[in-house]
Amino acid sequence: LQTMSGNEDDWLALKPQEPSASQCCGSGCKPCIYDVYEKELAQWERAKAKQDKSLLMEKKEQSNNSELNPDTFTAFNISSVEQLTEDTYQYKFELPGNSSLQLSLGQHIVLRGMVNGLEVQRAYTPISPGNAEGYFEVLMKCYEAGLMSQYIKTWKKGDMVFWRGPFGGFPYRPNKHGELLMLASGTGLAPMLPILQSITDDEEDETFVTLVGCFRTFDKIYLKPLLQDLARYWNIRIFYVLSQETSLEKLPWSYQENTYTGRLNEDLMKRIINSCRRKPFVLICGSSAFNEDMNRYLKAAGIEESSCFVF
């Protein structure tokens, strides 16, 4: 048996590293990266007490069998990169065979990135239907100063990136709500799309949907062809609120009647809610400032918190 002192260093080298704040995406994942750390730490302490390193062998840092897993990161291959606006990209990831991610509606997955030796984690919601076979797609906005953005900007087709999940989600059931009012700012559109597509794919689902997409300018609206297709359904309405457009005259005529300039404020919120066909259940996704504003306007319009869900 080795003496304890030399052995102590070996054990310290095997001790799991406590995550830094940048590694937590802050989306309330179960298990959170801190939960995974606690579990690995307990495993390490048990192994150390028994002086048996084989007890650490079940620790799977990452897997390559392309099965999404909430506890461990799995490598996925980027099969295509498409730039949608100057700072927004749509990435397509390969799934082996005809497998699908099997996400429930609005669930998110967590990406791990390395930037200057620092590990960062962020949550994203795939925009592809949950039952899409052989691939999944994620909409990502790159920010000038964003740590994760610096990592994402280096991606090319064929690169491997690591995801874990799924987490969260909105427990949607067909026909449970008379009308859904979706308030989305920028890439906050992502969790709304799988829900919209599940409604339009299900002929028995007669839920009305009013989607309000908030963007800075007309050019910044993502996935216009997809949204235009969805708006053709009898039960789907889509409004755009463009905070930095001053006039509607330059917009294609097909957008003029359902687009507002300026910000989505309390007054406009009341008008939209009054135009809903039934009392809406509201889904909100955007920055924390956007979510707070929306909650305030909804309250002023008489919508209780129990009728809202924030992604």
Side-chain angles (χ1 to χ4, degrees), residues 104-123:
S104 31
L105 293 172
Q107 282 194 310
H108 63 267
I109 54 180
V110 173
L111 171 69
R112 181 178 73 191
M114 291 300 288
V115 187
N116 311 331
L118 182 68
E119 184 181 298
V120 197
Q121 301 194 15
R122 293 282 180 275

Side-chain angles (χ1 to χ4, degrees), residues 41-277:
L41 187 63
Q43 193 181 354
W44 176 82
E45 282 166 352
R46 278 197 308 274
K48 184 170 184 278
K50 293 188 174 159
Q51 290 290 304
D52 181 358
K53 288 182 186 156
S54 69
L55 293 173
L56 294 173
M57 291 320 282
E58 58 192 274
K59 179 177 161 195
K60 290 199 294 292
E61 259 300 79
Q62 49 201 41
S63 87
N64 286 319
N65 62 357
S66 291
E67 280 282 307
L68 194 63
N69 176 326
D71 295 295
T72 54
F73 280 95
T74 303
F76 292 93
N77 201 355
I78 299 174
S79 56
S80 74
V81 176
E82 189 186 342
Q83 185 164 1
L84 301 180
T85 68
E86 68 208 41
D87 57 3
T88 311
Y89 298 82
Q90 184 173 339
Y91 295 95
K92 193 170 187 175
F93 299 89
E94 256 169 55
L95 288 171
N98 279 336
S99 63
S100 68
L101 275 189
Q102 298 296 344
L103 297 191
S104 31
L105 293 172
Q107 282 194 310
H108 63 267
I109 54 180
V110 173
L111 171 69
R112 181 178 73 191
M114 291 300 288
V115 187
N116 311 331
L118 182 68
E119 184 181 298
V120 197
Q121 301 194 15
R122 293 282 180 275
Y124 295 92
T125 306
I127 56 170
S128 41
N131 55 0
E133 294 183 350
Y135 75 95
F136 65 95
E137 288 173 316
V138 184
L139 185 64
M140 293 176 162
K141 184 179 170 101
C142 289
Y143 296 90
E144 269 310 300
L147 275 177
M148 188 60 100
S149 301
Q150 291 171 37
Y151 168 62
I152 291 169
K153 280 178 192 161
T154 67
W155 288 0
K156 307 175 300 301
K157 186 181 167 176
D159 285 354
M160 290 294 241
V161 300
F162 289 89
W163 293 98
R164 73 182 176 99
F167 304 104
F170 168 63
Y172 179 74
R173 289 207 314 280
N175 298 312
K176 180 183 176 187
H177 305 287
E179 179 147 3
L180 287 177
L181 172 59
M182 299 177 167
L183 306 174
S185 170
T187 48
L189 195 58
M192 310 300 182
L193 292 174
I195 297 171
L196 270 168
Q197 288 178 309
S198 82
I199 291 171
T200 55
D201 286 350
D202 180 355
E203 288 186 359
E204 308 288 301
D205 193 342
E206 301 191 343
T207 306
F208 285 116
V209 181
T210 298
L211 168 65
V212 182
C214 300
F215 299 92
R216 290 214 294 274
T217 59
F218 181 72
D219 296 336
K220 295 254 192 310
I221 300 174
Y222 314 122
L223 308 168
K224 288 191 188 86
L226 173 63
L227 293 171
Q228 292 288 72
D229 278 348
L230 289 166
R232 292 196 180 98
Y233 285 86
W234 64 275
N235 50 342
I236 311 282
R237 293 189 306 172
I238 300 184
F239 293 117
Y240 300 97
V241 181
L242 306 177
S243 60
Q244 290 175 14
E245 290 283 358
T246 46
S247 119
L248 297 175
E249 284 163 23
K250 298 193 289 287
L251 269 54
W253 64 266
S254 60
Y255 281 88
Q256 290 183 13
E257 63 184 57
N258 57 346
T259 300
Y260 299 92
T261 58
R263 291 201 163 282
L264 175 48
N265 55 22
E266 195 177 305
D267 184 47
L268 180 53
M269 181 73 88
K270 284 183 178 156
R271 279 162 61 194
I272 289 171
I273 287 171
N274 288 337
S275 76
C276 285
R277 291 138 293 193

